[in-house]
Amino acid sequence: MSSEQNERALEDGIVTDLRDRMTYGSYLELDRLLSAQHPVSRPEHHDEMLFIIQHQTTELWLKLLLHELTSARDLLASDDLREALKRIARVKRIQDVMTQQWSVLATLTPTEYAQFRGALGNSSGFQSVQYRAVEFALGNKNERMLSVFSEHPENLALLTAEFERPTLYDEFLRFAARRGLPVPAEILDRDVREPYRPHAELVPAIREIYQDPQTHWDLYEACEDLVDLEDNFQFWRFRHLKTVTRTIGMKHGTGGSSGAAFLQRALELTFFPELYTVRTEIGG
C-alpha cells in the first residue's frame, strides 16, 4: 500500500525519540556549521551564498588534506610505506573533488560576481592559511608568507609548524635512503625550512627505482603516487586560474595581487622535480 502511495514506511527499529541522544546534527555540529554563512553584500546578492559555500567547503577539504599529509609523513618516518601510500591515495581522491568544485563556481558569471565583489574588501584566497600549510607540507615553502598571518597567533603557529617540519618528499627520500638508495647526504641533511630545489645528484637514485621496478616495486609505486599527487595539484591550480580568468578576466585580485597573472606563475612551481627529470633519461 505504501508503495502505491509513493511513501516509504518507517521500520519499527528506527529510533525516532531522540531526546538525550547523540544525533546526526549534534555529532556534526550542524547548527554551528550551517549558520556560518553570512553574506555581506547589501542588498544581499543571491550568488554570494555560492561564493561563500564554495570557499568554506574548500577549507574543510584542505583541513582533511593536512590531516592525511601529516599522517603520511609520520608513517614514512616510522618506515610504514604501505599505510603512508593509503593516506596518499585518499589525498588524491580529495584533490579530485576539490578540482571538480571549480565547475560549480564557474557558473558565477562576471556580471553576477561584479554585483557583490566590492563588498569582499581585501579578503582573498591568498590569505588561506590551510592552503599555505598544504603547499609547505609538499615543499613550496616561503618564509615571507609567515608575516601574512602575524596578527593571528593560531594561524601563525599552524604555518610555522609546517614551515619547520620535513616535507612529504623529505620523508620519502629519507625512507628511500634507509632502504639503501643512494640519496645524497646534502638532501638528507638539508634545511627543511627552505623551499625544495632540484638536485641533479638525486636523479641517479630515482632512475635506479624506475629501471628496476620489480626490485623496488613499493618505491616505484610510491614515486608514481607522488607524481599523481603533483599532477592533481597542478590541475587544481590550473582550474583555479581558468575560473578566475573566466569570472574577472585580468583584473587585480581583491587581496592586491595581479590576479590571473599571479596564479599563472604558480604553475611554474614544482614539488618533486626529480620524479619528472628522470623521465627524460629513461629509455634514452
Side-chain angles (χ1 to χ4, degrees), residues 14-211:
I14 293 177
V15 177
T16 57
D17 184 355
L18 300 176
R19 290 172 295 180
D20 301 319
R21 296 176 184 267
M22 178 180 288
T23 67
Y24 177 80
S26 63
Y27 174 67
L28 297 176
E29 297 190 58
L30 291 182
D31 286 346
R32 182 164 62 158
L33 182 65
L34 298 179
S35 63
Q37 295 74 44
H38 305 289
V40 296
S41 55
R42 295 293 179 270
E44 181 179 321
H45 192 278
H46 172 83
D47 296 303
E48 191 179 352
M49 185 63 73
L50 160 64
F51 193 80
I52 291 171
I53 290 176
Q54 169 87 20
H55 290 83
Q56 288 181 337
T57 52
T58 295
E59 290 295 329
L60 288 172
W61 288 123
L62 287 170
K63 183 172 184 175
L64 186 55
L65 278 182
L66 284 171
H67 179 68
E68 301 297 341
L69 289 171
T70 296
S71 178
R73 285 175 288 174
D74 290 342
L75 289 164
L76 284 170
S78 62
D79 291 332
D80 192 344
L81 180 61
R82 172 184 279 183
E83 282 297 309
L85 294 184
K86 179 64 168 66
R87 302 293 188 269
I88 293 172
R90 183 173 294 164
V91 165
K92 293 193 295 182
R93 300 288 77 78
I94 296 167
Q95 290 178 304
D96 289 342
V97 173
M98 290 178 63
T99 299
Q100 287 300 317
Q101 276 193 191
W102 289 119
S103 64
V104 182
L105 191 61
T107 65
L108 183 67
T109 69
T111 303
E112 291 164 346
Y113 184 40
Q115 294 180 62
F116 66 86
R117 186 176 188 244
L120 305 180
N122 292 125
S123 61
S124 166
F126 176 83
Q127 300 150 11
S128 168
V129 67
Q130 292 195 124
Y131 173 77
R132 295 303 164 190
V134 168
E135 280 207 325
F136 280 16
L138 294 176
N140 287 163
K141 296 191 178 183
N142 184 341
E143 187 173 9
R144 293 180 61 188
M145 286 304 306
L146 297 176
S147 64
V148 176
F149 306 98
S150 60
E151 301 302 317
H152 195 297
E154 290 184 6
N155 285 350
L156 181 60
L158 169 65
L159 198 57
T160 300
E162 281 298 339
F163 179 69
E164 294 177 347
R165 75 166 295 175
T167 70
L168 180 64
Y169 200 34
D170 287 325
E171 293 292 8
F172 170 68
L173 293 176
R174 292 175 182 183
F175 173 83
R178 292 193 297 272
R179 287 281 298 273
L181 270 293
V183 179
E186 66 177 278
I187 297 177
L188 300 175
D189 300 332
R190 80 181 194 91
D191 183 350
V192 298
R193 297 171 299 178
E194 293 292 323
Y196 186 85
R197 296 181 175 87
H199 294 80
E201 300 83 1
L202 176 60
V203 176
I206 302 298
R207 186 171 62 240
E208 185 173 326
I209 295 172
Y210 276 89
Q211 288 182 333

Side-chain angles (χ1 to χ4, degrees), residues 251-271:
K251 292 187 180 72
H252 277 61
T254 49
S257 75
S258 57
F262 182 74
L263 298 176
Q264 178 73 48
R265 289 194 293 276
L267 294 174
E268 300 171 3
L269 302 176
T270 183
F271 298 127

